[in-house]
């Protein structure tokens, strides 16, 4: 005997069997755009959102991570299970998400360090998809400080270029600056739905 869920879904499928085909969606928008130096543009636009941006050579990323954490006094940092070992610098205790950290552990940490899937220069947005060096979504939503490393080859010009690199079935998180919202009187409040502080290292 079919369960209630199967019965309901079966009725929906039968009701939709003779639905008209969906109209084609016009996609005449730009899929790329000449924007010049994407690294410089990304750094400028990310900073526009009150994030702190640092451009360093790839070999200098660990040293920059260490200096940023030391400057903040960050001693307990969260990282995804595949966080590169060279990024787990001395001077901090690394809480790796294996087994999964609890919400209390994430909340008590001084911050989280991740990579990203892609960065969009025109909008100053970094995108996480749960892939390499990014981990699950909760890692970057609960801690109050997010340090993200973006490689120069992960920077694209505009949103359609970014979407072409992303798998739509993955959990995508688009981050444009620290988490912020406004109350009814339009007073900006940061850190309500995610980290109050975002630092981005662009590895060139």
């Amino acid at each position: 005997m079919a369960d209630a869920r199967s019965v309901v879904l079966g009725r929906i499928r039968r009701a939709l069997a003779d639905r008209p085909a969906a109209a084609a969606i016009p996609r005449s928008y730009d899929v790329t755009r000449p924007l010049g130096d994407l690294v410089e543009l990304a750094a400028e636009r990310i900073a526009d959102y009150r994030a702190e941006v640092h451009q360093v050579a790839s070999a200098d990323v660990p040293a920059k991570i260490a200096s940023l954490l030391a400057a903040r006094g960050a001693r307990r940092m969260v990282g995804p299970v595949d966080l590169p070992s060279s990024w787990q610098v001395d001077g901090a205790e690394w809480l790796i998400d294996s087994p999964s950290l609890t919400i209390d552990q994430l909340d008590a940490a001084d911050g989280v360090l991740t990579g990203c899937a892609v960065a969009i220069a025109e909008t100053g947005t970094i995108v996480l998809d749960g892939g390499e060096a990014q981990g699950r979504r909760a890692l970057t939503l609960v801690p109050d400080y997010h340090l993200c490393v973006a490689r120069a080859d992960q920077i694209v010009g505009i949103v359609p270029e970014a979407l072409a690199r992303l798998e739509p079935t993955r959990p995508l998180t688009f981050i444009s600056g620290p988490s912020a919202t406004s109350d009814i009187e339009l007073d900006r409040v940061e850190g309500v739905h995610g980290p109050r502080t975002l630092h981005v290292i662009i590895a060139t």
Side-chain angles (χ1 to χ4, degrees):
M1 181 176 179
D3 58 28
R5 181 174 182 273
S6 299
V7 171
V8 170
L9 292 178
R11 288 175 180 171
I12 293 173
R13 290 190 188 96
R14 289 193 293 275
L16 296 176
D18 60 348
R19 68 187 185 283
I25 299 174
R27 300 186 186 277
S28 56
Y29 48 77
D30 291 346
V31 295
T32 187
R33 194 175 299 150
L35 294 174
D37 188 330
L38 295 183
V39 171
E40 291 296 332
L41 180 60
E44 175 188 327
R45 296 291 168 83
I46 293 170
D48 282 345
Y49 282 106
R50 301 188 184 182
E52 192 173 298
V53 184
H54 303 268
Q55 295 184 52
V56 302
S58 296
D60 296 332
V61 168
K64 177 53 69 175
I65 292 171
S67 69
L68 290 173
L69 298 186
R72 288 185 57 83
R75 299 184 180 280
R76 291 170 57 85
M77 289 293 293
V78 168
V81 65
D82 56 350
L83 188 72
S85 58
S86 63
W87 294 3
Q88 298 174 45
V89 297
D90 294 338
E93 176 188 359
W94 291 94
L95 307 175
I96 301 303
D97 193 39
S98 178
S100 296
L101 299 168
T102 66
I103 295 300
D104 287 342
Q105 288 174 306
L106 296 176
D107 193 40
D110 293 320
V112 58
L113 171 62
T114 73
C116 70
V118 65
I120 307 169
E122 186 176 59
T123 62
T125 304
I126 56 175
V127 186
L128 278 60
D129 68 355
E132 181 182 359
Q134 297 162 63
R136 59 193 172 102
R137 181 173 280 170
L139 301 188
T140 54
L141 293 181
V142 179
D144 201 37
Y145 169 58
H146 183 189
L147 175 56
C148 181
V149 178
R151 301 191 313 268
D153 64 3
Q154 292 176 310
I155 299 175
V156 299
I158 61 177
V159 172
E161 292 175 275
L163 295 179
R165 291 194 182 192
L166 297 167
E167 170 54 54
T169 60
R170 298 182 68 89
L172 303 178
T173 304
F174 289 68
I175 301 170
S176 297
S179 171
T181 187
S182 293
D183 63 16
I184 196 169
E185 295 181 344
L186 301 182
D187 292 327
R188 179 182 171 97
V189 180
E190 296 183 341
V192 177
H193 307 296
R196 268 184 294 194
T197 304
L198 173 66
H199 289 175
V200 177
I201 297 174
I202 298 178
T204 58

